[in-house]
Amino acid sequence: MGVAGSVAWYEQLDFSKISDSDRYKLLEYAVNRLGKDRVQQALNVSRYTMWRLLNKKVKVDDVKLKIILSLITPREFEEVLGAEKRLIASGVVREDGTVDYSMAIEILKRAIRDEYLKQLIIRFVVDNFREDVKRAIGLFPVRVTLHWDEGFEEFLKHRKKGKKITDERTLSDYRSLFMKALEGKQLTPELVEYVINYPNQWLRNIFRHYVRYLYHRRKIPLETFGWLMEVVPARKWKKKVKAREINVEHVVKSIEFLKQNHELYYLYYVLMYYSGARLKHVIKMIADYSPKEVVKIEMTDSYTERLICFEDKGFCRYYLGIHTGKPCEWIYFPAELSLLIEKFKGVKRWDDSVSKYAREHKLVNAKVFRELHWQILKKVIDKDVAMFIQTRFGELEVSASSYDNLLRDADIQYPKAMKVLRRGLQDPGYLRDILLEKIHLK
């Protein structure tokens, strides 16, 4: 029924365009939905006349048709006769199938102030004319298919702006996620929504790298590149201050446990303890250990053997020379570990295996060692030297002119730090007092 003060939907129909057969269909639908008695009462006819209408003995005139239409909704009208019949009855579509474009334009104009109509039009266009729209607005070229190939991998390693992605483990993780979620998919608005809502937010970063790659290869125009980089956010980073607890007793007990139960992992842990190097770096050192190999140090334009030992000072340093990703220049350690390093040289374990073993035996996480080493060193030796030993060059901004001096200073000051760290293995309380600044050694 129409709302008071407004024109009922059926008033806009041209009844002359509704055939006799369609009128009978509407009558039958109303009877099936509402019951014969109610429709008869609404039409104000006798039972005999109602029987004649239902048996198509008399026509459903315009007056009766109007009453029948008042009993149903526009959607029901379309379900019975089809949307095209309603368009014909409304005058939008002519009986010969042509369209009254002036009326069609007026309907489209209503979308400006009718949000529901606007969404219906957008959805219909997306579902039926997607490629045409993409070509029209120039955002999505026809058939851009995402593939992980050598070109993309080379772009990540060498050509992308900002920090390059050269770590093989990171590349492997990126490749695995790309193949699972993006490989072979078409660049479409639906794919963009898929990436934005994907549970693993690292996919956003990989997708953004690939968009840069496509633009670099001139596969997409600037408008597409700009829009994609705007609507696909990078992975969210939770910014919060961490109060990281360093339990030195747990550190020492973990090292002691490994010394008795797993000699290789003990070597990893004790090297991290004395050097502040990351787990993946000490793993690489042992796996690729080549002490006599002569290498060039770019910063000083000089050559050195990888392993330099100072027997009189009781320590050695091994040149790892990793400058990409998480860098690691030198690894410092007590000279007495050399024999154990020789024993396991060439052996490699994945850092995940070490972490899993640590969890299973409730050992300290490997990440703790770098933080502990840093906190101890900066309280025992010069902070710049501590940064140099841990390859914190981003904070230090070391240059070729100062590299030699810092290397020399590190060789002079490291024995003092090593002595403190060695004592800490026998007396964890000593390390704790240094952290709490109950003992001052500078």
Side-chain angles (χ1 to χ4, degrees):
M1 296 291 288
V3 177
S6 64
V7 178
W9 69 271
Y10 49 85
E11 296 283 1
Q12 302 173 30
L13 300 180
D14 183 351
F15 288 1
S16 68
K17 302 288 178 59
I18 302 177
S19 67
D20 288 340
S21 61
D22 287 337
R23 295 178 184 223
Y24 289 129
K25 287 180 183 178
L26 292 168
L27 173 62
E28 290 171 2
Y29 176 82
V31 168
N32 289 333
R33 190 175 75 85
L34 302 172
K36 186 170 65 173
D37 290 343
R38 180 175 173 185
V39 175
Q40 179 187 329
Q41 183 180 10
L43 292 174
N44 193 26
V45 296
S46 66
R47 288 182 178 274
Y48 177 70
T49 302
M50 189 67 186
W51 177 86
R52 296 187 71 198
L53 286 168
L54 290 173
N55 286 275
K56 302 176 184 178
K57 301 296 183 179
V58 293
K59 292 183 178 182
V60 177
D61 59 33
D62 289 351
V63 175
K64 293 182 178 64
L65 176 61
K66 183 175 181 181
I67 295 171
I68 293 169
L69 293 177
S70 72
L71 299 174
I72 66 176
T73 65
R75 183 177 295 275
E76 290 173 320
F77 179 90
E78 292 178 8
E79 288 176 356
V80 175
L81 302 186
E84 187 171 358
K85 292 284 183 69
R86 184 180 176 190
L87 291 175
I88 292 173
S90 301
V92 178
V93 176
R94 303 183 183 97
E95 289 183 344
D96 62 359
T98 60
V99 176
D100 185 331
Y101 294 110
S102 61
M103 289 191 68
I105 290 296
E106 289 303 315
I107 293 173
L108 292 173
K109 284 181 179 179
R110 287 194 64 86
I112 297 173
R113 56 185 185 274
D114 188 325
E115 182 63 24
Y116 182 71
L117 177 60
K118 182 178 77 172
Q119 294 303 322
L120 285 177
I121 294 172
I122 290 172
R123 176 47 53 193
F124 182 84
V125 170
V126 168
D127 289 343
N128 295 277
F129 307 112
R130 183 181 301 136
E131 297 299 328
D132 302 86
V133 171
K134 288 189 292 186
R135 285 193 295 270
I137 63 177
L139 282 180
F140 289 93
V142 178
R143 286 195 305 226
V144 173
T145 305
L146 280 63
H147 288 298
W148 182 287
D149 53 24
E150 292 181 1
F152 180 46
E153 197 157 320
E154 193 269 344
F155 174 80
L156 293 174
K157 290 180 178 179
H158 306 295
R159 296 186 179 276
K160 69 179 287 292
K161 291 184 179 181
K163 187 177 180 181
K164 308 298 187 289
I165 300 171
T166 56
D167 181 79
E168 288 301 324
R169 191 65 178 275
T170 302
L171 281 171
S172 177
D173 291 342
Y174 273 28
R175 189 184 306 111
S176 176
L177 184 54
F178 185 99
M179 297 301 292
K180 176 183 177 182
L182 297 177
E183 179 64 25
K185 287 186 168 58
Q186 296 287 320
L187 183 60
T188 63
E190 289 76 18
L191 180 65
V192 173
E193 288 298 318
Y194 169 77
V195 170
I196 292 172
N197 296 304
Y198 196 79
N200 187 340
Q201 293 185 5
W202 277 109
L203 188 65
R204 298 184 193 174
N205 289 38
I206 299 170
F207 181 78
R208 286 167 63 90
H209 291 324
Y210 199 84
V211 168
R212 292 188 179 96
Y213 171 62
L214 290 175
Y215 182 65
H216 175 76
R217 293 286 304 275
R218 299 183 181 179
K219 298 290 186 181
I220 57 174
L222 179 61
E223 293 83 358
T224 307
F225 171 79
W227 183 78
L228 289 171
M229 297 303 288
E230 175 67 25
V231 299
V232 180
R235 174 175 174 263
K236 293 180 181 179
W237 298 88
K238 293 182 180 179
K239 297 180 179 180
K240 58 182 181 180
V241 178
K242 291 184 178 179
R244 184 174 296 171
E245 179 183 356
I246 301 178
N247 188 328
V248 289
E249 287 82 1
H250 191 198
V251 170
V252 173
K253 286 180 180 179
S254 297
I255 292 175
E256 290 175 349
F257 175 87
L258 291 173
K259 189 174 184 179
Q260 299 298 321
N261 296 279
H262 202 306
E263 201 172 24
L264 174 59
Y265 289 0
Y266 162 74
L267 178 58
Y268 291 160
Y269 266 44
V270 80
L271 279 172
M272 288 189 291
Y273 176 77
Y274 278 110
S275 68
R278 296 177 173 87
L279 175 59
K280 66 179 180 179
H281 292 150
V282 299
I283 289 175
K284 181 173 178 58
M285 172 186 162
I286 302 302
D288 301 337
Y289 193 64
S290 181
K292 295 298 182 181
E293 182 184 2
V294 176
V295 293
K296 183 179 181 180
I297 301 176
E298 297 293 338
M299 283 188 175
T300 58
D301 195 28
S302 61
Y303 291 85
T304 180
E305 290 185 347
R306 284 196 181 273
L307 183 67
I308 303 294
C309 286
F310 301 85
E311 299 296 342
D312 57 327
K313 298 179 180 178
F315 79 94
C316 302
R317 52 175 163 84
Y318 184 85
Y319 183 72
L320 200 59
I322 295 177
H323 305 122
T324 57
K326 302 288 186 181
C328 182
E329 198 80 350
W330 297 92
I331 292 182
Y332 286 74
F333 59 90
E336 64 264 22
L337 291 177
S338 297
L339 292 177
L340 194 57
I341 294 172
E342 282 287 344
K343 178 179 177 179
F344 286 103
K345 70 177 182 181
V347 177
K348 182 176 181 178
R349 298 289 184 271
W350 288 109
D351 50 358
D352 286 349
S353 299
V354 182
S355 299
K356 181 181 178 182
Y357 184 90
R359 288 194 302 272
E360 290 174 349
H361 294 86
K362 295 181 172 54
L363 306 180
V364 70
N365 190 298
K367 293 182 179 180
V368 169
F369 287 102
R370 185 168 173 84
E371 180 66 24
L372 173 63
H373 185 268
W374 169 249
Q375 294 299 331
I376 294 297
L377 253 66
K378 70 180 185 179
K379 290 177 171 61
V380 175
I381 63 178
D382 293 343
K383 190 172 182 180
D384 284 352
V385 176
M387 287 182 183
F388 178 83
I389 290 173
Q390 285 207 356
T391 319
R392 293 175 178 259
F393 292 171
E395 302 168 54
L396 187 61
E397 297 182 354
V398 66
S399 63
S401 60
S402 61
Y403 187 100
D404 270 337
N405 292 333
L406 284 170
L407 181 60
R408 184 166 54 250
D409 290 343
D411 291 342
I412 293 170
Q413 296 185 36
Y414 180 74
K416 183 179 180 182
M418 182 180 65
K419 182 179 178 181
V420 170
L421 291 165
R422 181 179 283 125
R423 179 175 170 182
L425 289 180
Q426 282 79 46
D427 182 7
Y430 175 69
L431 287 184
R432 187 173 60 253
D433 286 344
I434 294 174
L435 291 175
L436 296 174
E437 297 186 343
K438 294 180 180 179
I439 299 176
H440 298 276
L441 298 174
K442 278 191 178 181

